[in-house]
Amino acid sequence: MSSVNSDNFLAVALVINRSRDGPAFVFHYPAQVQHNATDTGAGADLEDILLERLVQPANHNTSVANEQLPRQWDRDEHIVTDSGAQIVPWEHVAGFPARDLAGMLTPARPYHKTLFQLSLDPLYCVSYPIHVPENGKWKKQKKSGKGNDGDKASTVTDDHGVSNEADMSSGKLSDNTKDKESKKDGDEDEKRSSMTMFNLVFILRPKIHEVKELVDSLYVNVVKKANKAYKYSQQQSDFIWKESKRILAAKDKAREEQRKMSSLWKEILQISSLAASMQEIYTAVSQNKIAALHLDTPLGILTPSFQIPVPFYVADIPQDSGRDQSGLWLTTANAFLSQDTLEEPGFLDRNFALLLMDDEKKIIAELQSDADPSTASMVEFVRLSKPTMSFHQVAQSNILSLSQVRRFAQHFIYWRRAITIPPLHARDVYIVSPNCDPRRLPQDSVEWQRLFPVAPPLPNFLGELSQSPRPYKHFCPSKAHRPSYLHMLAWLMRRGWVTQLCTYAYVVVWPEIIYEVEYEMEAEDLAAASTSSLEQAKPPTIVEEYEHPLSPTSTIDTAQQQQPPPPPPPSSPPANPSSTEHVAERARLERIATKAHHRATERAITHARKTPPQPTPHPSLNDAPHLKGLTPHIILDAKKATGKEARYLSAIGKRFTDDRGKQAWQLFCKYFDGRCALERVALQEDMKRKEVWNLLTNMTETGEP
């Protein structure tokens, strides 16, 4: 699996297009884009200059070969050649002239709000171009009410579901101020004729095998969302265009003054929140962090955020891969969930808890320093949420509603301050994770000893967990130590040292049950065949249509009675079949009935000779002679069992002698699909864990899960 890093993510750049002045390369970060692994020295500089000369007008006949270039150019200072040409460091990006890149990275309207890719071997440029609406104005038109004159404020919702209202109603112009009206019209024309599109471009250098995966991941999670956030700010306050003009003006001034690129970039990052947001995007995304932008628009501060989700667990031990996944939580609690299970009401609430990835006191202190109205509720949520309590149990405290619990949990998970895990329990089995990272043992041992001074040393405790698996409560010296040991377990889970050993089950139908069901089905077939044979043995009744007169009680109209019956169709048999045909038909039917009776009799005799099924207390050990040739059958998903498999389950349920066992079988068998951990049954059914395990234990021979 490919990840975004500073090796394959080189830079982020903003280009715009103007109706009068054409494309412009506004800004890029970082300042120096190392497009080649050996992108140092005068050779690379000469390549840049050659590229620049190739796109210059034909009458420009400056000979680059004769230019006196310094052997080592740091691409920070300006260079004036012997011919008087000025080489500006920021006018070359990734080995290409900036103005040429601006032309290539401002695609036409058909690419509006779509994935745009440009390959400049070995570079990839990925973006989501945004064009001005067809009317030439970035701001959305005011929606009219009942009439055409009622202007209303338009409401735009950003990617995070936050509604922002911008009052776009314009003031009325007086009839006697033509100059103001003319100026207003000029301003409107200026808005229509300035910036026609912008494009936040991500410059990549992926390896051949990771192109598709890297582009897809970056586009869905960052590129698209970042351009949408910029589009919203542009629609509300013309933010992108105003900031672009400010940056371009600063670059023009610095070009005249021949300022160093490092000094100019430092100034731009200070005066422009747009440039600072691009710096945040590159820095955060290249380090697999969350990009939290701070756009200081005229209508207020916008704080969109986005990230490439980082996996916090693996469902299997990683093999050879491009990234080191050692130390991630190893679990199938998430990977084995089917779509039907996820859509089941209340499943996630009952089966998952929140595990904070940092100290609870530290998180509460950070929350309390923020003056957000929801701070008090979030602090309460942190105090209530324990890794031993499911979301459903937290909501039962009556302090927070279930919807609040879900919303706050999503908030902490999004900001990577927590993960979801199955609730920890002392009766569950935990082992040292095969995916743990032994390289962290020295530093984690120090941290362990600091947090749990009376606990055994970390290597010793992990050694105990590596022995024969048993419930975690057996490692506690006493019941009074369980809370402390569960706190230790949460820390081990957070650091990826342990994982839960879960139990999964299928329904195994042993030959004894198979024989019993087949015996019953055969008996039912014989009974049905016997009934059918008796019906076929009755003498047939042949109705002669035209031989008998109408009954006196017939309700047919007199006029209809006087009409002669219609003649039979030419292909129909004669109306008065001969007695010979009657006898032949009767004989044929009798022969058929006799054969069916004989077959049913033979089957009944064969069935009677079979050994009647005899239930035994241990079906798996029954090796009676009449069961030879039958092999056990596994029901892969008891919840979806139909036909003969449904009869198997019913036959198993009849083996229970007590009503509680029969009810539990009907309730629990849906979990025997090899995907649902039996440790979750108690949570899902809201039952005592000990009671559930006792019932499951009683099924291990009778019901064979």
Side-chain angles (χ1 to χ4, degrees), residues 596-612:
H597 178 70
H598 286 326
R599 285 196 300 267
T601 302
E602 291 175 359
R603 291 181 60 193
I605 294 173
T606 304
H607 179 73
R609 290 174 179 174
K610 288 185 177 181
T611 304

Side-chain angles (χ1 to χ4, degrees), residues 629-655:
L630 297 177
T631 58
H633 175 76
I634 297 178
I635 301 177
L636 298 180
D637 192 348
K639 183 169 56 176
K640 299 180 180 179
T642 58
K644 188 178 287 188
E645 287 188 342
R647 298 196 63 150
Y648 290 155
L649 295 175
S650 178
I652 292 172
K654 296 177 182 177
R655 298 296 185 97

Side-chain angles (χ1 to χ4, degrees), residues 449-463:
Q449 199 63 33
R450 184 184 67 83
L451 295 174
F452 314 109
V454 297
L458 180 58
N460 296 356
F461 194 70
L462 294 177

Side-chain angles (χ1 to χ4, degrees), residues 29 104 144 164 230 304 306 314 402 405 411 577 638 659 668 680-681 687 691:
Y29 189 89
M104 291 185 289
S144 60
N164 297 274
Y230 283 2
F306 30 81
V314 289
L402 185 58
V405 172
H411 173 84
D659 293 339
F668 291 173
R680 311 286 176 263
V681 176
M687 298 171 60
E691 179 186 6

Side-chain angles (χ1 to χ4, degrees), residues 16-37:
I16 64 173
N17 200 357
R18 300 160 293 182
S19 58
R20 295 178 180 175
D21 301 325
F25 202 98
V26 179
F27 187 72
H28 67 276
Y29 189 89
Q32 305 296 340
V33 182
Q34 303 295 333
H35 60 287
N36 290 322

Side-chain angles (χ1 to χ4, degrees), residues 106-114 129-136 138 196-197:
T106 50
R109 183 172 290 276
Y111 289 95
H112 174 57
K113 295 175 66 175
T114 60
I130 304 294
H131 281 260
V132 68
E134 296 287 351
N135 61 5
W138 285 99
T196 60
M197 68 91 65

Side-chain angles (χ1 to χ4, degrees), residues 139-143 152-156 163-169 232-233 235-237 299:
K139 286 189 176 183
K140 289 188 175 182
Q141 294 297 310
K142 294 167 287 186
K143 296 180 181 180
K152 292 185 178 180
S154 64
T155 302
V156 181
S163 296
N164 297 274
E165 295 187 356
D167 188 2
M168 294 160 53
S169 58
Y232 177 78
S233 66
Q235 287 178 333
Q236 296 302 297
S237 58
L299 295 181

